[in-house]
Amino acid sequence: MDVTVLQRNIRSVQERVKQAALKVGRDPKEITLVAVTKTIDIETVKEAYALGLKDFGENRVQELVAKHRVLPEARWHLIGRLQTNKVKDALERAFLIHSLDRWHLAEYIEKRAGAKNFVANCLLQVNVSGEASKSGVAVNEVREFLRALSGLQHVKVLGLMTIAPEVDDPEEVRPVFRELRSLFETIKKSSYPNVNMQWLSMGMTQDFEVAIEEGATIIRVGRALFGQREQGG
Ligand SMILES: *Cc1c(COP(=O)(O)O)cnc(C)c1O
């Protein structure tokens, strides 16, 4: 990708982050921009790192492993559905696993992380919108999930993540973000062992400004930085 275009995109997203934060009286520094590099070539990722981005997101473990190998100094976030047979490869390479979305996976991470005497930092993925196509724990099952975590020693939940439905007008997903934020605040006030609400991961290219206005501390942005992806993903 052309470096001047990349640089312009990065500055533009950073400026939009800043404006959205200031609009609601937040400190822009509270917001971590995770650059989503799925399908993006490693040379471009290296350029983005050189231009100041330090957090990158991948939705496939294989791609995360390959890019982590080239750029281990960056923080790699796993944002896509994690299959149990890939847990082993993701552990220790992922700074944060955003996609803890089912109890079976928590048990599996416990087993694998336990074997390495390692604690895996995760976000609980919540299916706020209730769309059948989306993974994530249903809102009314979140508390039970968090209570059950007290039985695990190698899985820590450091926040919540959601993927909003695709919409034409980002205002349509504001209630989704607002609901996740409210859940985040409620959990923060309770004390569950192995749970510490630090991160609220919500907002992508289509809706990150609204997500910031509603309290996101991590936004996951791909297309606004790297352009439209060729393949899906
Ligand atoms: C692809 C992806 C993103 C980034 O989407 P863009 O529309 O490119 O900003 C964010 N989160 C998840 C989970 C993704 O899979």
Side-chain angles (χ1 to χ4, degrees):
M1 178 176 180
D2 184 83
V3 182
T4 28
V5 174
L6 179 60
Q7 179 159 29
R8 197 187 323 128
N9 290 352
I10 293 173
R11 298 297 169 248
S12 152
V13 169
Q14 286 170 335
E15 182 58 27
R16 288 168 63 190
V17 167
K18 185 173 153 195
Q19 292 309 325
L22 294 179
K23 185 174 164 192
V24 292
R26 297 185 61 195
D27 179 354
K29 290 197 214 65
E30 287 172 16
I31 295 136
T32 297
L33 169 62
V34 170
V36 177
T37 49
K38 57 192 180 195
T39 78
I40 304 301
D41 63 275
I42 189 66
E43 289 313 314
T44 300
V45 180
K46 279 158 83 179
E47 292 290 358
Y49 185 84
L51 290 167
L53 300 184
K54 301 296 173 220
D55 290 85
F56 297 96
E58 284 291 337
N59 62 349
R60 292 174 59 242
V61 172
Q62 244 167 323
E63 213 172 327
L64 184 147
V65 169
K67 286 173 176 163
H68 178 275
R69 190 171 296 139
V70 181
L71 206 58
E73 57 274 46
R75 300 201 298 194
W76 290 95
H77 298 246
L78 185 69
I79 60 173
R81 188 171 169 89
L82 177 54
Q83 293 167 298
T84 51
N85 64 350
K86 299 277 167 59
V87 166
K88 192 154 97 36
D89 296 333
L91 288 178
E92 296 178 288
R93 293 190 176 92
F95 169 73
L96 201 52
I97 296 170
H98 292 226
S99 44
L100 176 56
D101 60 356
R102 57 205 191 278
W103 182 251
H104 177 60
L105 179 61
E107 290 180 318
Y108 212 85
I109 295 174
E110 170 69 17
K111 192 164 97 182
R112 287 298 185 181
K116 297 183 175 191
N117 207 9
F118 177 83
V119 177
N121 290 329
C122 304
L123 304 182
L124 187 62
Q125 182 171 351
V126 184
N127 185 355
V128 179
S129 59
E131 284 179 292
S133 62
K134 289 247 156 43
S135 22
V137 176
V139 171
N140 60 4
E141 289 167 2
V142 165
R143 275 156 242 240
E144 192 190 334
F145 195 109
L146 295 179
R147 270 194 296 274
L149 276 175
S150 66
L152 308 186
Q153 271 77 58
H154 304 91
V155 180
K156 256 204 161 55
V157 167
L158 296 183
L160 304 178
M161 178 270 215
T162 200
I163 303 174
E166 266 179 57
V167 290
D168 295 323
D169 176 1
E171 282 302 326
E172 290 175 51
V173 293
R174 190 183 289 278
V176 170
F177 296 148
R178 196 164 281 182
E179 186 170 351
L180 194 69
R181 165 73 183 280
S182 147
L183 189 60
F184 180 83
E185 296 298 338
T186 311
I187 297 167
K188 218 176 188 173
K189 288 191 206 111
S190 332
S191 59
Y192 297 95
N194 301 325
V195 176
N196 185 355
M197 288 289 120
Q198 295 177 19
W199 300 105
L200 187 54
S201 170
M202 56 188 198
M204 331 197 328
T205 292
Q206 70 161 12
D207 51 26
F208 69 83
E209 284 143 313
V210 174
I212 290 169
E213 289 169 26
E214 295 301 330
T217 63
I218 293 181
I219 55 170
R220 311 175 307 266
V221 178
R223 290 169 300 155
L225 295 166
F226 304 109
Q228 199 67 37
R229 286 177 291 275
E230 303 270 315
Q231 310 110 285

